[in-house]
């Protein structure tokens, strides 16, 4: 299993080098699929999707110069014959999972059937998360509540046994101060990684590595 769990995308050379290492080849020779689903559950989600794809918002993610880039909308998958999208997934080198609402994304990962397929897909595919797209692979997720999925729905998939708190000390999210995240981490019975937008967590077959040109902190329970 190869995971690159970022706060804001491929924001610096160190994170980009980690991605290339996980791919085992240059980005220009690699295919990618972008999952925008989580973004629709936050205000102006449709426009944010457009800007992420075009590269006019945030750090490079979809606009890294992939050999090919496709979209995989999870909410559409239950109404499509599986062979149409499973074959596409099996031929993809990287799955790019965007940010937004963890609970909404987790719900559609499960409803679409992709959550069940991920363990086998990740034997050869690299999972690249951004914010909520990273958080759902851990055992801790959040929600903004701008959706109608059942309130008891899972907020994460639990592929790795830690919590991830992105956007550490980001000026537009004052609630993500180090002091606030430390208080939150104290309520979670798991190791918690607080990472800023210049940091990512690389996980390869359970081995965790922090890739950073910024700052981060590990809080143990």
């Amino acid at each position: 299993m190869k995971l690159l769990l970022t706060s804001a995308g491929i924001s610096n050379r160190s994170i980009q080098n980690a991605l290339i290492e996980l791919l085992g080849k240059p980005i220009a020779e690699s295919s990618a699929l972008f999952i925008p689903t989580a973004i629709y559950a936050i205000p102006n989600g449709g426009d944010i999707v457009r800007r992420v794809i075009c590269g006019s918002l945030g750090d490079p993610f979809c606009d890294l110069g992939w050999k090919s880039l496709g979209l995989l909308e999870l909410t559409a998958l239950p109404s499509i014959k599986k062979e149409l999208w499973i074959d596409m997934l099996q031929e993809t080198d990287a799955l790019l999972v965007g940010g937004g609402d963890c609970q909404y994304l987790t719900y559609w990962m499960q409803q679409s059937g992709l959550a069940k397929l991920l363990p086998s897909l990740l034997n050869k595919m690299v999972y690249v998360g951004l914010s909520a797209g990273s958080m759902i692979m851990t055992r801790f997720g959040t929600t903004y509540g701008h959706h109608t999925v059942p309130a008891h729905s899972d907020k994460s998939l639990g592929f790795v046994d830690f919590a991830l708190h992105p956007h550490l000390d980001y000026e537009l999210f004052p609630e993500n101060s180090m002091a606030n995240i430390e208080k939150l981490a104290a309520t979670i019975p798991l190791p918690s990684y607080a990472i800023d937008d210049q940091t990512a967590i690389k996980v390869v077959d359970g081995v965790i590595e922090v890739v950073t040109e910024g700052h981060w902190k590990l809080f143990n329970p």
Side-chain angles (χ1 to χ4, degrees):
M1 184 172 67
K2 297 179 181 180
L3 311 177
L4 186 62
L5 307 179
T6 78
S7 177
I10 310 305
S11 54
N12 56 54
R13 178 60 65 179
S14 296
I15 296 176
Q16 183 168 324
N17 287 342
L19 173 59
I20 294 169
E21 179 184 349
L22 291 173
L23 290 168
K25 57 184 175 181
I27 293 171
E29 297 176 11
S30 304
S31 59
L33 283 174
F34 174 50
I35 295 178
T37 305
I39 307 176
Y40 292 117
I42 62 176
N44 301 315
D47 184 59
I48 293 172
V49 169
R50 175 189 65 81
R51 294 168 68 192
V52 170
I53 294 171
C54 295
S56 63
L57 176 68
D59 295 309
F61 197 56
C62 292
D63 56 323
L64 281 167
W66 299 97
K67 179 181 179 181
S68 66
L69 176 71
L71 293 182
L72 189 69
E73 176 46 59
L74 300 184
T75 61
L77 298 189
S79 60
I80 299 172
K81 290 185 176 180
K82 284 188 175 181
E83 58 265 26
L84 291 181
W85 56 272
I86 289 179
D87 289 348
M88 181 171 59
L89 273 168
Q90 292 174 337
E91 296 171 358
T92 297
D93 297 307
L95 192 63
L96 312 178
V97 186
D101 191 290
C102 292
Q103 188 174 40
Y104 188 75
L105 177 57
T106 300
Y107 178 84
W108 283 108
M109 278 276 192
Q110 294 169 336
Q111 291 295 309
S112 67
L114 181 55
K116 287 185 178 180
L117 292 172
L118 277 179
S120 60
L121 290 170
L122 293 178
N123 285 330
K124 61 184 185 69
M125 174 192 291
V126 179
Y127 182 104
V128 187
L130 187 160
S131 192
S134 296
M135 293 175 71
I136 68 158
M137 297 303 280
T138 76
R139 290 176 55 194
F140 174 78
T142 58
T143 184
Y144 296 101
H146 302 301
H147 54 68
T148 58
V149 306
H152 63 272
S153 299
D154 295 335
K155 296 184 178 71
S156 66
L157 297 173
F159 276 74
V160 292
D161 290 327
F162 58 80
L164 183 65
H165 309 283
H167 310 302
L168 173 64
D169 288 332
Y170 185 54
E171 60 182 9
L172 295 182
F173 301 146
E175 67 275 14
N176 288 353
S177 67
M178 182 71 81
N180 284 344
I181 291 179
E182 183 173 7
K183 291 177 184 177
L184 174 60
T187 70
I188 301 172
L190 301 164
S192 284
Y193 287 89
I195 63 172
D196 73 352
D197 285 0
Q198 297 299 317
T199 302
I201 305 294
K202 182 173 74 170
V203 184
V204 179
D205 296 332
V207 178
I208 300 168
E209 178 184 344
V210 179
V211 181
T212 186
E213 293 184 13
H215 67 286
W216 63 281
K217 188 169 182 177
L218 172 61
F219 298 99
N220 285 303

